[in-house]
Amino acid sequence: MELEHVLKEKFGYDSFREGQKEVIESILNGQDTFALLPTGKGKSLCYQLPGYMMNGTVLIISPLLSLMQDQVEQLKKLGEKRVAALNSFLSKEEKRFVWQHISEFRFLFLSPEMLSSTIVREKIHELNLSLIVVDEAHCISQWGFDFRPEYLQIADAMPENRPPILALSATATKAMTEDISTYLKMNDMQTFRYSVDRANLHYEVVEVESFEKQQKIMEQIEQFEGPGIVYTQSRKKAEKYAEQLASKNIRCAFYHAGMEQEDRRFIQHQFLSGQLDWICATNAFGMGVHKENIRQIIHDYIPQNVASYMQEVGRAGRDGQAALCTIYVEATDWTRTLEVAMLDLPQQWQIDEFLRYTQSGMRPDLLVTEGKMSETTYRVLAYWMNHLLPEDVLMKVQQLAMTKKQQLSELVHILSGSCIREGLLRYFDEEKNVDIANCCSSCGLNRHEILKKHIKRNRSKESVEWRERIQRLLPMHSN
DNA sequence: CGTGATGCGCTTAAGCGCATCACGGTGCGTTAAT
């Protein structure tokens, strides 16, 4: 009864959504908990509510600065003042303020990188922590090994007598769940897992020749309703699609990590508020994007693994209405995906160089300055050199490469299987137990029964190029 | 693997045809040099 009381009092809801109560009770019982909840708004409540029932600080580890900002804002709207995100957005003065009042915050957001700093760790150990939250916990498995190694070191930052850990995610395979449990050093982890099946998503694979792919994607967008996302493999291609769509008078923008933070936020906001119908993006787009009415996800390339594919198509149809997820595949696409997947993995000669530098007393990070390896390669390599014997590092890297190859082939296999939905579900240890009309292109699918036709709308004369609009809205940002 | 930029050689010297080569995705924090 008391839980419902707090729910009403603090958040204004009358009842919990599926799963929330069990997760919250598990945490309040002091259990390490992993909650795999369906996408959407429900997840943050799982730590916000307990935060009000316990004394001390809730520490939330979040993968993206923009995600932290959103959550801080959300909490502030709920009237919470004792909330802060400690990150590089803050000025020196703001940082000092947060440090001075650190023990007074109820909710404190940190990146895994921040948490790796010794000074931050010491400060954290002095706090009275009530709960540790790892948001988007699949990042541990998806990014930790070859992109953001700090994700593997979260447990090292914890005080010996730590409070329970809550890991949150919407998509995690069995293997990913094991990684999460292992690297967070969970004790007797309670898992709450809900089906990943999304009956209103219809999966389609279209095999094409390379020369016709782009044209066919354009035709699909012109023919059927949005809003939607086109996922491409490179930034350039995302821009190219956006340009083409714009020439057909479709309200769209591109989105990738090469853009300024503020531009990215602006585009995302425009899409969420319905002023843009299509986003042409790399895989940078999506985390933390809660748009209800996305009707189409189109893939111009094959994602690296099943989990990535699930995350990307999973952004469609959150309103429960039918949505179409089409992936265009040409015969040699998988080789390019593999190429990109291997880009930043250290080569043997790079490992040798790293070793040579450290043994001769040179700073190994000079290798980045000298252009011998990328920032990412260096960070990943430094992590493994630090955690393994040098002679084992090459083997580790080869093992990572093998895993990537394996994971890609699993996705390719599912996409060419006899039922795409069944293949996806089986990958998550679930069974397909209902027959769904227009299930997938392997079972047979008619687009017209899923989507309405695209309605041409004239772009109004007031519609301004987004860059101009930024400058009009925020004059201090003009170049 | 595919794409696009670069550069070479050729030639009714300004632009064409072709070969070669680099590059491609996710983000944090911090800092050096303007």
Side-chain angles (χ1 to χ4, degrees):
Chain A
M1 214 42 219
E2 204 198 343
L3 282 184
E4 273 85 359
H5 184 72
V6 181
L7 182 69
K8 182 76 186 169
E9 194 84 339
K10 283 284 177 190
F11 302 93
Y13 298 126
D14 289 318
S15 60
F16 286 102
R17 292 196 195 183
E18 189 194 11
Q20 288 177 330
K21 194 172 179 183
E22 295 90 316
V23 171
I24 291 170
E25 282 171 343
S26 171
I27 299 162
L28 292 176
N29 280 337
Q31 296 273 0
D32 286 345
T33 305
F34 181 32
L36 267 152
L37 294 176
T39 50
K41 302 164 196 160
K43 272 186 292 173
S44 46
L45 189 91
C46 292
Y47 67 81
Q48 288 173 353
L49 194 146
Y52 286 109
M53 301 190 67
M54 300 184 287
N55 286 320
T57 304
V58 180
L59 184 69
I60 303 117
I61 297 147
S62 173
L64 302 182
L65 300 179
S66 63
L67 232 48
M68 295 184 206
Q69 304 300 111
D70 291 344
Q71 309 251 29
V72 168
E73 240 170 69
Q74 189 201 343
L75 279 162
K76 282 192 171 161
K77 266 188 199 154
L78 287 168
E80 181 56 65
K81 287 184 183 137
R82 297 183 296 167
V83 50
L86 193 59
N87 58 39
S88 58
F89 275 0
L90 301 186
S91 65
K92 268 185 187 166
E93 291 74 29
E94 289 170 323
K95 254 184 203 163
R96 196 178 308 135
F97 180 85
V98 172
W99 280 127
Q100 276 171 358
H101 299 83
I102 191 85
S103 59
E104 296 162 29
F105 290 103
R106 190 186 287 277
F107 299 102
L108 188 62
F109 292 82
L110 281 180
S111 68
E113 283 82 3
M114 212 39 138
L115 199 60
S116 292
S117 124
T118 333
I119 306 161
V120 173
R121 283 186 188 190
E122 282 169 9
K123 293 270 190 186
I124 296 297
H125 288 193
E126 292 168 13
L127 287 180
N128 171 29
L129 294 179
S130 61
L131 176 67
I132 294 160
V133 181
V134 181
D135 199 9
E136 310 285 357
H138 54 267
C139 292
I140 292 172
S141 186
Q142 207 158 307
W143 281 352
F145 301 106
D146 63 353
F147 181 46
R148 292 173 71 177
E150 289 81 0
Y151 254 106
L152 303 183
Q153 302 174 79
I154 293 173
D156 301 344
M158 296 303 142
E160 271 182 44
N161 220 341
R162 66 161 173 81
I165 296 181
L166 169 65
L168 293 169
S169 177
T171 327
T173 63
K174 211 174 192 179
M176 292 167 93
T177 306
E178 271 167 33
D179 286 338
I180 290 165
S181 169
T182 305
Y183 282 91
L184 290 179
K185 297 189 177 154
M186 301 278 234
N187 297 318
D188 185 24
M189 180 175 86
Q190 303 295 300
T191 305
F192 296 89
R193 177 186 280 271
Y194 297 85
S195 175
V196 295
D197 192 17
R198 303 276 307 281
N200 60 321
L201 300 191
H202 303 269
Y203 306 100
E204 184 182 35
V205 177
V206 180
E207 286 177 29
V208 288
E209 300 288 332
S210 119
F211 70 91
E212 57 180 357
K213 189 194 262 184
Q214 196 165 325
Q215 190 198 338
K216 287 200 161 178
I217 290 179
M218 294 297 295
E219 283 169 8
Q220 177 174 342
I221 295 172
E222 282 185 278
Q223 205 176 349
F224 294 101
E225 62 181 321
I229 307 171
V230 184
Y231 277 111
T232 64
Q233 191 162 35
S234 70
R235 298 170 177 184
K236 234 177 218 167
K237 206 142 190 208
E239 295 188 11
K240 213 167 145 189
Y241 270 112
E243 198 179 306
Q244 289 229 5
L245 286 174
S247 77
K248 309 267 184 191
N249 261 351
I250 286 169
R251 303 184 307 167
C252 67
F254 59 84
Y255 184 106
H256 56 64
M259 299 158 64
E260 298 290 329
Q261 277 283 349
E262 55 195 306
D263 292 352
R264 292 173 64 170
R265 279 194 84 86
F266 185 77
I267 296 297
Q268 181 174 326
H269 180 259
Q270 293 261 299
F271 185 57
L272 289 181
S273 65
Q275 297 173 69
L276 290 172
D277 293 321
W278 282 87
I279 298 286
C280 309
T282 61
N283 61 354
F285 187 74
M287 215 190 280
V289 175
H290 301 304
K291 185 173 170 68
E292 297 283 299
N293 62 337
I294 295 178
R295 295 272 74 83
Q296 294 195 59
I297 304 286
I298 296 179
H299 275 95
D300 170 82
Y301 78 109
I302 307 177
Q304 284 186 23
N305 51 58
V306 182
S308 302
Y309 176 74
M310 284 294 266
Q311 280 155 23
E312 285 162 13
V313 297
R315 284 163 195 143
R318 299 222 171 134
D319 54 8
Q321 305 289 309
L324 178 66
C325 311
T326 310
I327 179 163
Y328 284 81
V329 180
E330 50 179 297
T332 57
D333 270 349
W334 66 272
T335 55
R336 250 166 301 138
T337 294
L338 201 58
E339 286 294 323
V340 171
M342 303 298 172
L343 273 182
D344 278 316
L345 282 184
Q347 310 276 313
Q348 172 154 24
W349 69 267
Q350 291 173 318
I351 300 174
D352 294 342
E353 281 290 270
F354 193 102
L355 209 55
R356 191 170 69 82
Y357 271 53
T358 46
Q359 282 170 350
S360 59
M362 287 190 282
R363 288 169 49 190
D365 60 314
L366 286 175
L367 287 161
V368 179
T369 332
E370 291 164 8
K372 288 183 178 158
M373 58 180 77
S374 70
E375 171 85 20
T376 299
T377 305
Y378 168 75
R379 292 164 70 90
V380 169
L381 190 49
Y383 172 83
W384 289 115
M385 291 299 248
N386 202 13
H387 285 78
L388 296 174
L389 295 170
E391 56 265 35
D392 291 337
V393 170
L394 181 63
M395 217 170 58
K396 184 72 202 176
V397 171
Q398 284 167 344
Q399 183 201 324
L400 288 175
M402 281 288 291
T403 309
K404 279 169 173 282
K405 204 170 172 181
Q406 173 69 25
Q407 288 176 339
L408 173 61
S409 79
E410 283 162 348
L411 176 58
V412 172
H413 188 250
I414 289 172
L415 292 176
S416 55
S418 60
C419 170
I420 298 164
R421 184 184 309 276
E422 192 178 15
L424 290 171
L425 289 178
R426 202 181 301 142
Y427 195 80
F428 287 87
D429 289 313
E430 286 185 45
E431 302 218 341
K432 177 189 167 190
N433 37 29
V434 206
D435 272 338
I436 291 169
N438 293 305
C439 170
C440 64
S441 55
S442 300
C443 296
L445 171 153
N446 181 348
R447 286 178 180 175
H448 293 276
E449 291 172 14
I450 298 167
L451 295 176
K452 297 194 191 97
K453 287 200 170 143
H454 168 68
I455 304 159
K456 281 242 157 147
R457 54 175 115 210
N458 292 324
R459 287 201 283 183
S460 73
K461 280 180 189 154
E462 298 141 60
S463 156
V464 187
E465 283 297 306
W466 58 267
R467 193 169 275 282
E468 291 172 39
R469 190 185 281 256
I470 282 184
Q471 292 178 351
R472 203 179 62 196
L473 293 176
L474 310 164
M476 64 278 202
H477 289 133
S478 58
N479 303 328

